[in-house]
Amino acid sequence: MDLVNSHYWIRLSIGDIAEVVAGGTPKAGDPENFKEPGTGVPWLTPADLSGYSEMYIGLGSRDLSQKGYDSSSAKLLPKGSLLFSSRAPIGYVAIAKNDISTNQGFKNFVFPYGVNSRYAYYYLRSIRNVAERMGTGTTFKEMSGSTAKTLPFLLPPLEEQAVIAEKLNNLLAQVETTKASLERIPEILKTFRQSVLAAAVSGKLTEEWRTINNFESVAVKHNSKLPKLYEDEYYIEAVEGWVWLRLGSVVSLINGDRGKNYPNKSEYVKQGIPFINTGHIDPDGTLSDERMNFISPEKYDSLGGGKTESTDLVYCLRGATIGKTARVHYEFGAIASSLVIVRPTDNIQRDFAYYFLISPLAKKLISDFDNGSAQPNLSAKSLATYPLQLPPIEEQTEIVRRVKELFTLADRIEGTVNAALERVNNLTQSILAKAFRSELTADWRAANPDLITGENSAESLLKKIKAEQQKLLANKPRRRKQCDG
């Protein structure tokens, strides 16, 4: 035990001032050992704290029956006890909202006197990495009761503990609010990108551009060139100067080779010609070089079809990834049978075709043209019949430019948000570290010297804790029981 800096905090081991209490589990195979939560003896496992963000906890997913409690080594801990997981994983922490027991995956701390529960909660959160390093084991790390007693602990004066806990409450609540706000932004940006695509393929994005270039958009209920599927179901805004047609009239659709020469995994090579499947399509519409499979030039030459060029798109035809689209950048390549090559003609820009295929309209078309089997499935023939309202090539160029510009802006914002989120995620530990370096309460101590000295000092507090411990040892009760009510 020693003083920390000149601030009159005492550094000690947690076992010096707390009773370390392990838990227990009755026979799992006997359903009579357990009850619904709220109907028996409250009981926790580490799984109950997985993803749990509240400071206090009063129930787990199951209670123990009186039989289960009596037949196990679980002990009923008093309200305010610190519940600390000691395996799978080490370091989950919560405060008991009421009397509660735990399984053997906990080493719990019961302070007889002189330790603010909220202060201890935040302190234990701050040393989770220390506790993890103290764990032993191969399959999973575990901290024994004797090791738990040696966990470091800092004891400030009692009044200062309460001030630290309150400051951390307020600061960390602000951190969580900021984090929640930042976490919503990617979804907002996702909606923004979809709105941009919807505007791009409907003519809204270049409405002003057309006006400047003497074009106008007109809303019509029926368009003579509008596919029959849409005449009865949708109110479509036809754009002057745009032409309704089928996708297959402006792109070539090329299936992969499905014959006897189709490559299997055993024929993949470390270096060679890319063999593209749906797993290689990244969310940004590029193909992943890192995950790419390769086939030999000889295998590539043996294929009867499905060979890509660097100006192609690839489109997924079935399964959970149906509709995923990517731009090809390889000079030579081939596709798996789950994909189709979309090869633009001179009448459609590749990027415009790409934006159409990932737009909300095209996603709606998937369900309209799906063959209705148990697994979502399209064919190249059905994709060829997709209705498309095609702008002049000059307007396609302007649309592509604007979409790229807006997507670049969204990407930049998302990058800034992700960097901010990373800083915020690290902020909690930084604030906790600052608190337990005694920095959060430096001004408070300067303004309240009488609350940290004399009878209010940490040394005096420690003497009172030791006296209380001796009193409890002399009158230690038998194991507490709880009857079913």
Side-chain angles (χ1 to χ4, degrees):
M1 304 176 195
D2 61 342
L3 294 178
V4 179
N5 300 325
S6 59
H7 299 313
Y8 304 100
W9 292 20
I10 296 177
R11 182 185 289 114
L12 36 67
S13 295
I14 200 167
D16 293 332
I17 55 173
E19 181 184 5
V20 180
V21 182
T25 303
K27 289 183 179 179
D30 185 352
E32 292 186 2
N33 285 331
F34 304 94
K35 299 189 75 173
E36 290 296 312
T39 64
V41 180
W43 184 70
L44 289 184
T45 71
D48 292 315
L49 293 183
S50 177
Y52 191 80
S53 58
E54 300 297 318
M55 181 183 293
Y56 293 88
I57 191 166
L59 289 173
S61 59
R62 291 187 295 177
D63 279 1
L64 295 181
S65 66
Q66 193 65 44
K67 173 188 173 184
Y69 178 69
D70 290 339
S71 65
S72 74
S73 57
K75 300 174 182 66
L76 202 58
L77 302 158
K79 175 182 177 180
S81 298
L82 273 296
L83 313 171
F84 191 78
S85 67
S86 56
R87 68 176 184 185
I90 296 172
Y92 287 158
V93 60
I95 303 173
K97 186 185 295 184
N98 42 254
D99 289 1
I100 199 167
S101 61
T102 70
N103 77 349
Q104 65 273 26
F106 285 82
K107 298 298 180 288
N108 306 296
F109 305 111
V110 181
F111 295 95
Y113 171 81
V115 176
N116 182 293
S117 292
R118 295 193 304 165
Y119 168 84
Y121 166 82
Y122 284 125
Y123 179 79
L124 289 170
R125 279 182 60 180
S126 78
I127 63 162
R128 180 174 179 176
N129 60 335
V130 175
E132 287 174 339
R133 289 197 299 268
M134 292 172 70
T136 58
T138 52
T139 306
F140 53 82
K141 282 192 172 185
E142 181 172 9
M143 188 168 58
S144 67
S146 58
T147 299
K149 290 180 181 180
T150 66
L151 279 172
F153 195 81
L154 293 174
L155 184 70
L158 191 55
E159 288 289 341
E160 191 170 359
Q161 292 180 38
V163 173
I164 291 169
E166 189 61 27
K167 283 182 177 288
L168 287 174
N169 262 356
N170 295 334
L171 288 171
L172 297 183
Q174 293 173 34
V175 170
E176 288 304 311
T177 299
T178 302
K179 182 179 177 182
S181 298
L182 289 171
E183 286 174 338
R184 286 194 293 269
I185 294 176
E187 192 60 36
I188 293 170
L189 290 173
K190 181 179 178 181
T191 302
F192 169 76
R193 292 186 183 99
Q194 289 300 300
S195 298
V196 168
L197 292 171
V201 300
S202 67
K204 298 290 186 184
L205 192 61
T206 44
E207 200 165 32
E208 183 181 348
W209 183 90
R210 278 194 308 279
T211 301
I212 295 171
N213 289 274
N214 301 317
F215 287 110
E216 294 181 359
S217 62
V218 225
V220 295
K221 173 64 177 174
H222 297 293
N223 181 303
S224 60
K225 295 182 180 180
L226 185 64
K228 176 65 178 170
L229 172 68
Y230 286 86
E231 289 186 4
D232 299 327
E233 295 187 34
Y234 303 99
Y235 181 81
I236 302 293
E237 184 175 328
V239 184
E240 187 71 24
W242 292 30
V243 180
W244 277 105
L245 43 75
R246 302 286 185 176
L247 180 63
S249 65
V250 287
V251 301
S252 299
L253 296 165
I254 306 161
N255 285 311
D257 189 335
R258 293 178 171 85
K260 62 181 181 180
N261 290 324
Y262 188 81
N264 56 56
K265 291 182 179 180
S266 64
E267 295 178 287
Y268 293 163
V269 296
K270 289 186 177 180
Q271 291 183 327
I273 294 173
F275 185 68
I276 305 163
N277 65 41
T278 57
H280 302 138
I281 299 177
D282 284 334
D284 64 354
T286 59
L287 293 171
S288 171
D289 295 330
E290 291 77 15
R291 298 194 305 276
M292 187 56 61
N293 297 322
F294 298 93
I295 56 175
S296 67
E298 293 76 20
K299 189 66 184 178
Y300 173 80
D301 289 339
S302 74
L303 297 177
K307 296 179 179 180
T308 62
E309 298 176 0
S310 61
T311 54
D312 289 339
L313 301 170
V314 290
Y315 183 90
C316 181
L317 292 172
R318 57 178 176 263
T321 57
I322 191 168
K324 286 182 70 174
T325 312
R327 289 164 280 207
V328 177
H329 61 278
Y330 302 115
E331 184 177 0
F332 301 102
I335 58 168
S337 59
S338 57
L339 296 170
V340 64
I341 296 169
V342 180
R343 182 165 295 162
T345 65
D346 292 340
N347 294 316
I348 187 169
Q349 284 199 11
R350 179 175 78 157
D351 282 339
F352 183 82
Y354 169 72
Y355 292 138
F356 168 73
L357 287 170
I358 65 170
S359 71
L361 173 59
K363 289 177 180 177
K364 174 67 174 68
L365 291 169
I366 291 173
S367 60
D368 291 337
F369 284 81
D370 179 16
N371 66 9
S373 62
Q375 183 185 45
N377 189 51
L378 290 171
S379 65
K381 184 177 179 181
S382 61
L383 186 61
T385 61
Y386 271 21
L388 165 66
Q389 195 175 191
L390 188 70
I393 200 73
E394 297 84 2
E395 191 166 354
Q396 291 180 42
T397 301
E398 180 63 15
I399 288 169
V400 167
R401 185 191 71 78
R402 293 188 181 201
V403 172
K404 286 183 176 179
E405 185 177 78
L406 291 169
F407 275 24
T408 298
L409 174 62
D411 291 344
R412 191 179 302 126
I413 293 170
E414 191 162 34
T416 302
V417 168
N418 288 338
L421 194 54
E422 185 175 348
R423 289 194 296 272
V424 168
N425 284 333
N426 294 328
L427 193 56
T428 294
Q429 282 305 122
S430 297
I431 291 172
L432 289 171
K434 188 172 183 177
F436 298 110
R437 288 197 302 265
S438 74
E439 294 174 15
L440 282 188
T441 45
D443 291 343
W444 179 88
R445 283 193 306 276
N448 297 277
D450 57 319
L451 296 179
I452 60 172
T453 57
E455 281 299 305
N456 295 319
S457 68
E459 294 97 320
S460 177
L461 177 62
L462 183 58
K463 289 177 183 177
K464 293 172 185 175
I465 291 172
K466 292 295 186 182
E468 189 66 25
Q469 284 179 319
Q470 291 301 317
K471 189 188 301 181
L472 290 173
L473 282 174
N475 302 287
K476 190 171 183 179
R478 299 171 61 186
R479 193 175 91 156
R480 304 168 72 202
K481 296 292 181 184
Q482 175 171 313
C483 296
D484 290 338

